[in-house]
Amino acid sequence: MTTHTAPALLPLPTPAARAITTTGAAAALAGTFLAWTYTSTFPGDLTVTGYPGGLQVLTLVSATLTLLYALSGYGIKGLRWLTPGGTHSPVRLLALGTFATTAYTVIAVIVKKDGNGNLLGLVELEPGAWISLAGALTAATASLALPSDQPLDETTTPSALTRFRNSLSAPAPSRAEALPAWAGILIIAVSFGLGLHLLTYGIDTEYAELFIGYLITLAFGFTALTRAGLIARLTALTTEHRNVTLAAALVAAFCFPFTQQNEQYALIGANILIFATVALGLNVVVGLAGLLDLGYVAFLGVGAYAAALVSGSPMSPVGVHFPFWAAVLTGAAASLIFGVLIGAPTLRLRGDYLAIVTLGFGEIFRLTVNNLNGVSGPDLTNGSQGIPSIPDLNLFGFDFGISHDIGGLTLGRSANYYLLMLLFTAVVVLVFRRSGESRIGRAWVAIREDETAATAMGINAFRLKLLAFALGAALAGLAGTVQAHVSYTVTPEQYQFAGSAPPNSAFLLAAVILGGMGTLSGPLVGAALLYLIPAKLQFMQDYQLFLFGIALILLMRFRPEGLVADRRKKLEFHETGQLDVPPDTPLTDQAAGTTKAGT
């Protein structure tokens, strides 16, 4: 089949389109150093000249990246490393991101109301906003005239949607010379440092407009870097230096609480770790073994309730006070037992039938703990009131409920629990990694792909599925013991199938699927995003599920393999080009490959 480069959307030659894009990005960048608003009513104080602030910083970053990638198209030697996979699509995506962020800021300023309830309107905008908006619009429009980086079938006329999807799909980066080990380790360390800064910036956003702009910039920027091939290069480095990568991730996560001066933001970080750890446990069940569990949050609740009952709460009917290590073992063991009891009679079911049974278990757990109030049943959980006043931990004289000064930095209560939860997360990551790489993990993947074929090869599918179910339940119970102490109380309403905010079974399953099933970092990334977004956009609480559904549809349409996908998922969801012969393949291998493709 003959292919050719897709024609541009606008009747402009490539050099002219690149020059106009560069000029527009430079104008958008220059406008951020001028005042955007007439008064300081809009948050972020955009009235200052010479010092970008608030949403201006996001336009500044996006415009700078657009300018750098546009200049890299001229073959500048120092910028060639930016585009190992493609040169035009990253520029187009970044230019569109710059325009989206700038246009959103302008609209947000116009519709902002002052103290008297009146809209600020167009009169609030200063020349800097118009310069950046005009520059961003110019760059975005001209970037559409750039040719596509991937060939398209000349027998059909590609639609605008096809062109856009072509910009989103990342090609394999060109081969590069092997880097020295120290250089690869340095790149990994810098990358995780930048990742920590991006996460900290998102959590520290003080108003909703800034967080929405942050999401817009992050989405377009990450997609552009993926399309450029940089993410693929970084993935290759992290695969080569896996132990270094895990160490760098733990160090970056450990540094997070030392960057926070607000207890509320540190608490968000602790809850993100709890949510991410539970999602990683669910990834064992869904991602590795392929068992659709819609009631997984119940295991989190079992661990939390078990720990709350034995942790010395004055409202606990049990009336005992175990040390923390014993409470942790109690919570994990209780969830493990429930996992076995639920899995043993039900795991002979498959697909939708298993999903319905697990959904029923989740609802049964919530209704049961709600009725164990001494009226409808035994007095064990205090019913809808839950178990409040769970005391703070005290390990080896370290009281988690008070602030501590370490090296001149103050760690509050939330930061203390964050570090404790980080330790639990590291344990869960180690368990997931070791189990996934073991013979049992490979057997789980075989069952997930084709249970009948796996059984025919001698794999005891039922026993291994029960093991996955029990392991996932124990990991959820482990996180539940910390959640009980972080939140001071446990109630039945915290463990629903679906709700306005995580953790619940729907959000946990979405975190695994959106992040990337079967991967180590995918559920962590998905859980962080799904917890952070509702926490920062509380003013949209009534529409969160609606917007979440739209985002889910769009992501599944354009990136069904998830944000972090393994090779198997990429091949499964993107079949185009699987049988193409690489250009550097020897002629004898090309003939063999052609034969296989024809077959």
Side-chain angles (χ1 to χ4, degrees):
M1 181 182 294
T2 305
T3 58
H4 73 105
T5 302
L9 291 179
L10 299 178
L12 283 176
T14 300
R18 185 182 297 114
I20 296 175
T21 302
T22 305
T23 304
L29 175 64
T32 60
F33 291 92
L34 301 175
W36 280 22
T37 58
Y38 180 72
T39 66
S40 59
T41 303
F42 189 81
D45 194 6
L46 308 184
T47 63
V48 181
T49 299
Y51 187 81
L55 284 160
Q56 286 176 312
V57 175
L58 300 177
T59 297
L60 171 66
V61 172
S62 189
T64 301
L65 289 175
T66 306
L67 185 60
L68 289 175
Y69 271 91
L71 292 175
S72 69
Y74 291 99
I76 300 176
K77 186 175 181 180
L79 298 178
R80 291 177 182 174
W81 61 272
L82 289 173
T83 54
T87 57
H88 297 134
S89 293
V91 177
R92 183 182 301 115
L93 289 167
L94 288 170
L96 291 174
T98 304
F99 173 70
T101 304
T102 308
Y104 166 74
T105 305
V106 170
I107 295 174
V109 170
I110 294 174
V111 301
K112 182 71 175 180
K113 294 183 179 180
D114 57 17
N116 298 323
N118 300 319
L119 296 178
L120 295 181
L122 292 174
V123 296
E124 178 69 12
L125 296 176
E126 287 286 282
W130 295 112
I131 293 175
S132 291
L133 182 62
L137 178 60
T138 302
T141 305
S143 69
L144 297 177
L146 295 173
S148 176
D149 292 331
Q150 290 187 352
L152 296 174
D153 184 7
E154 70 175 358
T155 61
T156 59
T157 302
S159 62
L161 179 61
T162 302
R163 298 177 191 275
F164 183 66
R165 291 194 64 186
N166 181 257
S167 297
L168 295 179
S169 58
S174 58
R175 295 186 178 181
E177 297 181 0
L179 293 174
W182 65 267
I185 294 174
L186 180 61
I187 292 175
I188 292 173
V190 172
S191 300
F192 275 98
L194 291 175
L196 173 63
H197 178 72
L198 287 176
L199 178 63
T200 303
Y201 185 88
I203 292 178
D204 289 348
T205 50
E206 298 179 351
Y207 47 97
E209 293 86 353
L210 181 59
F211 184 74
I212 295 176
Y214 163 79
L215 290 180
I216 295 174
T217 304
L218 183 64
F220 278 96
F222 178 79
T223 308
L225 295 182
T226 302
R227 189 61 183 85
L230 285 181
I231 303 299
R233 286 281 175 86
L234 180 60
T235 302
L237 285 176
T238 56
T239 303
E240 181 181 357
H241 305 281
R242 186 170 298 181
N243 292 329
V244 174
T245 301
L246 290 177
L250 288 176
V251 170
F254 178 80
C255 293
F256 168 78
F258 296 96
T259 66
Q260 302 299 308
Q261 301 298 326
N262 191 319
E263 271 288 288
Q264 180 183 359
Y265 298 154
L267 180 60
I268 291 177
N271 286 324
I272 285 176
L273 280 184
I274 294 174
F275 188 32
T277 302
V278 180
L280 196 58
L282 179 60
N283 197 27
V284 175
V285 180
V286 177
L288 293 182
L291 306 174
L292 183 55
D293 189 350
L294 298 182
Y296 187 76
V297 74
F299 297 120
L300 175 68
V302 170
Y305 265 96
L309 288 172
V310 300
S311 294
S313 170
M315 300 299 294
S316 172
V318 177
V320 297
H321 190 179
F322 286 1
F324 179 64
W325 64 267
V328 169
L329 294 179
T330 301
S335 296
L336 175 64
I337 293 173
F338 271 87
V340 174
L341 292 177
I342 298 301
T346 61
L347 286 179
R348 300 189 186 276
L349 301 174
R350 297 186 186 182
D352 299 338
Y353 302 100
L354 178 61
I356 293 173
V357 170
T358 55
L359 176 60
F361 165 66
E363 290 301 302
I364 289 173
F365 166 77
R366 183 177 61 84
L367 294 175
T368 300
V369 296
N370 195 39
N371 290 328
L372 296 179
N373 54 7
V375 178
S376 302
D379 186 10
L380 184 62
T381 63
N382 293 326
S384 59
Q385 296 181 357
I387 303 177
S389 304
I390 301 174
D392 284 309
L393 298 176
N394 193 312
L395 297 179
F396 308 106
F398 187 90
D399 191 344
F400 282 73
I402 62 177
S403 300
H404 299 273
D405 293 330
I406 300 178
L409 299 175
T410 301
L411 291 180
R413 178 182 183 274
S414 299
N416 296 333
Y417 280 106
Y418 172 90
L419 294 177
L420 176 64
M421 194 59 222
L422 180 61
L423 177 62
F424 279 76
T425 304
V427 172
V428 174
V429 167
L430 179 62
V431 171
F432 179 86
R433 180 186 173 189
R434 299 296 294 176
S435 61
E437 295 176 351
S438 65
R439 294 176 58 186
I440 295 177
R442 292 193 293 270
W444 283 338
V445 174
I447 295 172
R448 181 192 68 191
E449 296 301 319
D450 194 331
E451 184 176 343
T452 303
T455 304
M457 295 301 294
I459 295 176
N460 191 331
F462 174 75
R463 186 183 67 181
L464 290 174
K465 288 194 296 183
L466 183 60
L467 178 61
F469 214 72
L471 178 60
L475 296 179
L478 200 69
T481 59
V482 180
Q483 187 209 26
H485 291 85
V486 171
S487 59
Y488 282 123
T489 183
V490 289
T491 58
E493 289 73 18
Q494 294 175 336
Y495 310 106
Q496 303 181 34
F497 168 72
S500 59
N504 55 64
S505 293
F507 272 77
L508 287 171
L509 185 61
V512 174
I513 296 176
L514 298 184
M517 290 192 300
T519 62
L520 177 60
S521 57
L524 302 178
V525 174
L529 289 176
L530 290 182
Y531 189 91
L532 183 60
I533 292 175
K536 303 300 291 188
L537 299 181
Q538 295 181 359
F539 74 100
M540 302 177 66
Q541 186 172 3
D542 294 338
Y543 307 98
Q544 281 179 5
L545 291 178
F546 172 73
L547 296 176
F548 171 70
I550 294 178
L552 182 64
I553 293 173
L554 293 176
L555 188 58
M556 290 296 99
R557 179 65 177 86
F558 295 109
R559 195 174 177 84
E561 69 273 21
L563 297 176
V564 181
D566 56 10
R567 291 183 59 189
R568 186 186 301 273
K569 292 299 180 183
K570 289 181 180 179
L571 294 177
E572 179 180 349
F573 291 107
H574 300 284
E575 298 180 356
T576 304
Q578 289 187 38
L579 301 178
D580 293 348
V581 180
D584 54 351
T585 304
L587 293 178
T588 56
D589 294 339
Q590 288 185 17
T594 304
T595 303
K596 293 178 181 178
T599 303

